[in-house]
Amino acid sequence: MSYEKWSAGYWLLRKYVWFVDRIIHRRIIVVGRENIPGDKPVIFAPNHQNALSDPIAVLTNVAHQPVWLARADIFGKSPVIDAILKFLKIMPVYRSRDGLENLEKNDLTFSSSIKVLENNAALALFPEGAHSSKRQILPHKKAVPRIAFMAGEKSEGRLDTHIIPTGIYYSSYWKFNRSLIVNFGEAIKVKEYYKQYAEEPQAAIRSLKDKLYDATLPLIINIRSQKHYDDFENITSVYGRHFLEQNKQDYSYLNLFKSNQLLARKLDELEDKDSDKTASIVDKAREYLSALNKLKTKSRFVDAEQAYFWSFMLKSLLLIVSAPIFIFGFIFNALPFFSADWLARTRIKDSSFRSSVAFVTSLIIFPLFYLLEFAVVASLIPSPWLKLLFIISLPFAGKFAFQWYILLRKTAGTFRLFRLKYFKPERFNQLLNQKEELFNLLDKELV
């Protein structure tokens, strides 16, 4: 199989992965597809935070079949693995750490990459060259501009390669039912740098690298702080919606993301300007978060005007009415779900790889479990149409069961706040005061 050729098998697998990806995520928002030309060679250049989840976020949301460049140490394990990687359109890139004697093998990779671009297909690689597991961009390497310029050089300047800066954001790096935003930025036209490259190759590589870095920043949330990274991320999670409202923006998940981009920048700027004031805010945020964690609740539910009793009753009624669907979904999805979850939690130390392991495991074990369960109950289902409906409903019932569980946790949290408000009012008022004091201080400094 040539990397640049369209693959029917890859297309079928991607359709399956696309479906599973929609089950795993609560919401997927894609912005900027119009920036991707359909008749030009393309290089997708996304930020890298979450192992295999990042390529999936790109390839399931574009019309292309991107050819990915990946570190060479995942190759050479066995002929079978190498064949699978080639089927998945993944090519090796050798680094100095892989042995200087292996660097010449990159010639074949670069030659194949150029062929991909010459056929108006798409390459994809991570400009950072590594994943960070944080909402924090790493310095860009030179691989993207080098490949783009090599391809242009070979075509004698005829190749019109477009680099697509891409920002990927997850509400959680590995939890089920997370939210995903994929931002495709305005294309960078490599042709505009050909003249500089002909005169000063290294300067042109640096210019294009810096341009790509700057173009990526508006597409992601980038918390620069090293000292207070975790604190700033926590402040964003508890204060973000209030900050959005203070800036008179209507709530939507995309608007919240954009507002949190601004909030992260302002927190970094505050630390640069006044480290003592930042430390004071961080201390108050830690106290408030500690109180929330003890109550197992979220900041947005802490509200003096909240009708906790009626909210608890309504949620309880919804739980009771929908319990039969939960039971059905739980029975037929619990074993594969908890198996994948257990494997990711207990066997993978790096949290940025957990979603990848859980995803790949789920791709395999869920269909196997569904077929086994269908074989067990098929004789009890009278109609062929009901049998078909049964097996189609299994993944959707499983997701419903998870949503039911989330509602159960919210209901329990509402009850805890109801009990706190009416039976321990002094502690409830203390929590309200902590929230108000923190938010007022943040309003004063950031809004």
Side-chain angles (χ1 to χ4, degrees):
M1 181 193 79
S2 298
Y3 287 106
E4 71 276 8
K5 300 296 184 183
W6 186 87
S7 166
Y10 183 97
W11 179 85
L12 285 170
L13 177 61
R14 187 168 72 169
K15 288 296 182 184
Y16 174 49
V17 171
W18 180 93
F19 172 75
V20 174
D21 207 39
R22 265 60 188 173
I23 293 292
I24 284 175
H25 288 91
R26 179 182 179 185
R27 63 170 73 86
I28 296 178
I29 300 171
V30 182
V31 180
R33 277 201 185 100
E34 68 277 5
N35 292 322
I36 307 171
D39 58 348
K40 303 286 184 182
V42 167
I43 300 177
F44 292 102
N47 61 318
H48 195 18
Q49 302 174 69
N50 206 13
L52 182 63
S53 296
D54 294 337
I56 290 172
V58 175
L59 67 88
T60 56
N61 291 296
V62 298
H64 296 79
Q65 294 186 349
V67 179
W68 288 86
L69 274 64
R71 66 191 200 191
D73 58 1
I74 66 174
F75 293 80
K77 308 294 185 184
S78 78
V80 174
I81 292 177
D82 287 352
I84 292 172
L85 291 171
K86 186 169 185 179
F87 171 76
L88 295 175
K89 293 181 177 282
I90 301 174
M91 292 193 296
V93 174
Y94 295 86
R95 303 162 295 178
S96 299
R97 71 186 71 174
D98 300 314
L100 295 177
E101 70 279 4
N102 287 318
L103 291 180
E104 63 183 24
K105 295 179 182 178
N106 280 332
D107 292 341
L108 178 60
T109 295
F110 292 146
S111 177
S112 298
S113 299
I114 292 167
K115 192 179 293 185
V116 169
L117 296 175
E118 287 175 334
N119 282 270
N120 283 349
L123 284 178
L125 65 158
F126 299 108
E128 296 162 288
H131 68 266
S132 65
S133 304
K134 289 183 176 181
R135 309 190 198 287
Q136 205 167 59
I137 193 170
L138 298 175
H140 280 193
K141 308 298 183 184
K142 298 178 180 179
V144 174
R146 275 178 175 165
I147 290 174
F149 283 133
M150 286 175 63
E153 199 170 33
K154 187 182 178 190
S155 71
E156 298 180 346
R158 294 188 302 274
L159 203 59
D160 189 13
T161 302
H162 285 48
I163 299 174
I164 309 297
T166 305
I168 303 171
Y169 170 82
Y170 307 91
S171 60
S172 167
Y173 282 126
W174 79 280
K175 289 182 180 179
F176 182 81
N177 208 42
R178 65 189 179 183
S179 296
L180 166 66
I181 297 175
V182 184
N183 277 314
F184 295 110
E186 187 175 342
I188 300 171
K189 298 175 183 178
V190 181
K191 256 189 172 182
E192 296 177 358
Y193 294 83
Y194 280 170
K195 183 178 179 182
Q196 184 186 17
Y197 182 73
E199 297 170 354
E200 297 180 274
Q202 292 305 315
I205 288 173
R206 287 194 299 271
S207 295
L208 186 51
K209 175 175 71 74
D210 293 343
K211 173 69 174 177
L212 177 57
Y213 182 91
D214 292 339
T216 304
L217 287 175
L219 309 175
I220 62 173
I221 290 179
N222 182 43
I223 301 174
R224 289 189 291 104
S225 177
Q226 299 296 325
K227 182 178 181 180
H228 293 304
Y229 173 84
D230 291 332
D231 297 303
F232 286 180
E233 188 170 22
N234 289 332
I235 288 171
T236 301
S237 70
V238 300
Y239 176 71
R241 290 186 68 155
H242 177 83
F243 183 72
L244 177 72
E245 293 168 0
Q246 291 298 102
N247 285 286
K248 297 179 172 53
Q249 295 289 315
D250 294 333
Y251 175 80
S252 72
Y253 197 77
L254 186 58
N255 281 347
L256 180 61
F257 167 79
K258 293 176 181 178
S259 177
N260 284 343
Q261 286 180 306
L262 176 62
L263 175 56
R265 288 199 300 272
K266 284 184 170 288
L267 286 168
D268 281 328
E269 290 167 2
L270 179 63
E271 183 183 20
D272 294 339
K273 182 177 67 175
D274 193 332
S275 59
D276 290 339
K277 188 162 289 183
T278 302
S280 175
I281 290 174
V282 163
D283 288 341
K284 291 185 183 302
R286 287 176 180 174
E287 291 174 6
Y288 180 52
L289 281 161
S290 176
L292 290 175
N293 289 335
K294 287 177 182 177
L295 286 169
K296 299 179 182 179
T297 192
K298 303 230 179 244
S299 179
R300 67 177 180 271
F301 300 133
V302 179
D303 186 349
E305 305 301 320
Q306 179 80 263
Y308 291 115
F309 175 77
W310 293 112
S311 177
F312 169 73
M313 294 300 292
L314 178 59
K315 289 173 184 174
S316 298
L317 180 61
L318 288 173
L319 287 171
I320 293 169
V321 170
S322 58
I325 305 176
F326 163 76
I327 293 169
F328 173 77
F330 181 81
I331 288 172
F332 291 102
N333 287 273
L335 277 175
F337 178 85
F338 288 117
S339 297
D341 185 70
W342 173 84
L343 181 65
R345 285 179 184 272
T346 61
R347 293 291 183 264
I348 308 301
K349 293 181 180 179
D350 188 340
S351 61
S352 64
F353 282 94
R354 287 178 183 167
S355 64
S356 302
V357 171
F359 186 85
V360 173
T361 305
S362 298
L363 286 176
I364 298 169
I365 67 171
F366 269 89
L368 293 177
F369 268 90
Y370 288 162
L371 289 173
L372 179 61
E373 290 164 349
F374 178 75
V376 171
V377 304
S379 61
L380 304 176
I381 304 174
S383 164
W385 288 108
L386 287 176
K387 290 178 182 179
L388 179 62
L389 180 61
F390 167 78
I391 199 161
I392 289 175
S393 70
L394 292 179
F396 301 103
K399 184 159 187 175
F400 182 90
F402 186 87
Q403 298 277 24
W404 191 95
Y405 165 71
I406 295 299
L407 180 59
L408 177 65
R409 291 184 58 180
K410 288 180 179 179
T411 305
T414 301
F415 180 75
R416 284 192 294 270
L417 286 169
F418 164 74
R419 188 175 57 184
L420 189 70
K421 181 177 180 179
Y422 291 101
F423 295 97
K424 295 183 179 178
E426 69 289 343
R427 190 176 169 195
F428 180 77
N429 289 329
Q430 181 185 14
L431 186 65
L432 278 176
N433 290 335
Q434 284 180 296
K435 178 179 180 178
E436 184 177 355
E437 188 177 351
L438 173 63
F439 280 27
N440 286 341
L441 187 55
L442 288 166
D443 287 348
K444 180 182 177 182
E445 297 299 330
L446 304 179
V447 177

